[in-house]
Amino acid sequence: MKLKVMTYNIHKGFSTGGLKYILRKIKEALSTTSADIVLLQEVVGEHSKSEKNNWPTEGQFEFLADQLWSHYSYAKNAIFSQFHYGNATLSRFPIVQEKHTVMSTNRFEQRGLLHCEVEIPDLKQRIHLYNVHLDLLSRGRRLQYQKIVSQIKADVQDQEKFIMAGDFNDWTGELHQMFTQEIGLDEAHTKFHERPARSFPSFFPVLTLDRVYSRNMDIVTCKPMIGNPWKKLSDHIPLLVEYAL
């Protein structure tokens, strides 16, 4: 059995330049990927002006999940007077546990970690999923790294299957070295290409901001979704990773 996992910062449903609201196009693109699990960042959960400007009346995560991913979880990171947004995990498999951890380190960036545990009924297996969005500033990311390591030790046993994906904003690669060398995680794109994938900006990816790490998982492929239609959607491109179970 193969398991396809995608991570994607959807930029609150706006295009690369932030001028056009293109959530419906993002939904169409996601539906072509055959992903079993999708870990999303910058997802708007509620907006007081949702009936205007072609916004769906439900939360963006519900709109995107629709009939493809019957199980989903959302946790708000940033809360404003008219809307809030955060991380969302969509899954074809039941989500049996979920927990949100606030990861904010300063008053300008509201960040979080959404931990979901999914169950694969046919295999009677569970997989821990960490959906993360980290700081732009390196000092904050180092503090968040310590929180993540502490949470892994508390939540995930050494032999359990574990995937952590999201927007790490780790353009220097400092955290990448720590995740792979200090706690022994495998990064999907690095396994095949010796470095994380370039994922930002979507129209000409240069920075390696988005990653998929795992432990006790058999990585088969990692595909950055370069080109159309992705380069015209969010300012990030998604990564699609396939595992053998």
Side-chain angles (χ1 to χ4, degrees), residues 76-107:
K76 48 190 169 185
N77 296 335
I79 304 172
F80 301 93
S81 60
Q82 294 185 333
F83 72 102
H84 54 74
Y85 69 88
N87 300 351
T89 296
L90 318 180
S91 174
R92 297 186 192 275
F93 307 108
I95 296 174
V96 294
Q97 300 265 5
E98 56 186 317
K99 180 173 71 173
H100 177 242
T101 301
V102 175
M103 301 290 287
S104 302
T105 64
N106 62 74
R107 62 191 181 94

Side-chain angles (χ1 to χ4, degrees), residues 30-50:
L30 287 175
S31 70
T32 68
T33 65
S34 300
D36 299 299
I37 296 170
V38 185
L39 295 92
L40 304 171
Q41 302 83 47
E42 293 196 19
V43 180
V44 177
E46 185 177 60
H47 200 297
S48 62
K49 296 182 179 179
S50 61

Side-chain angles (χ1 to χ4, degrees), residues 43-60:
V43 180
V44 177
E46 185 177 60
H47 200 297
S48 62
K49 296 182 179 179
S50 61
E51 295 181 1
K52 300 179 180 179
N53 302 321
N54 205 31
W55 284 63
T57 55
E58 69 268 49
Q60 289 183 346

Side-chain angles (χ1 to χ4, degrees), residues 8-15 21-33 40 63-64 69 230 232-234:
Y8 193 20
N9 182 326
I10 67 168
H11 200 214
K12 306 179 191 68
F14 284 89
S15 61
Y21 188 71
I22 41 83
L23 189 68
R24 295 183 187 279
K25 292 184 178 180
I26 290 175
K27 181 178 181 178
E28 291 171 4
L30 287 175
S31 70
T32 68
T33 65
L40 304 171
F63 175 77
L64 293 173
W69 297 280
W230 306 102
K232 297 179 181 179
L233 302 179
S234 168

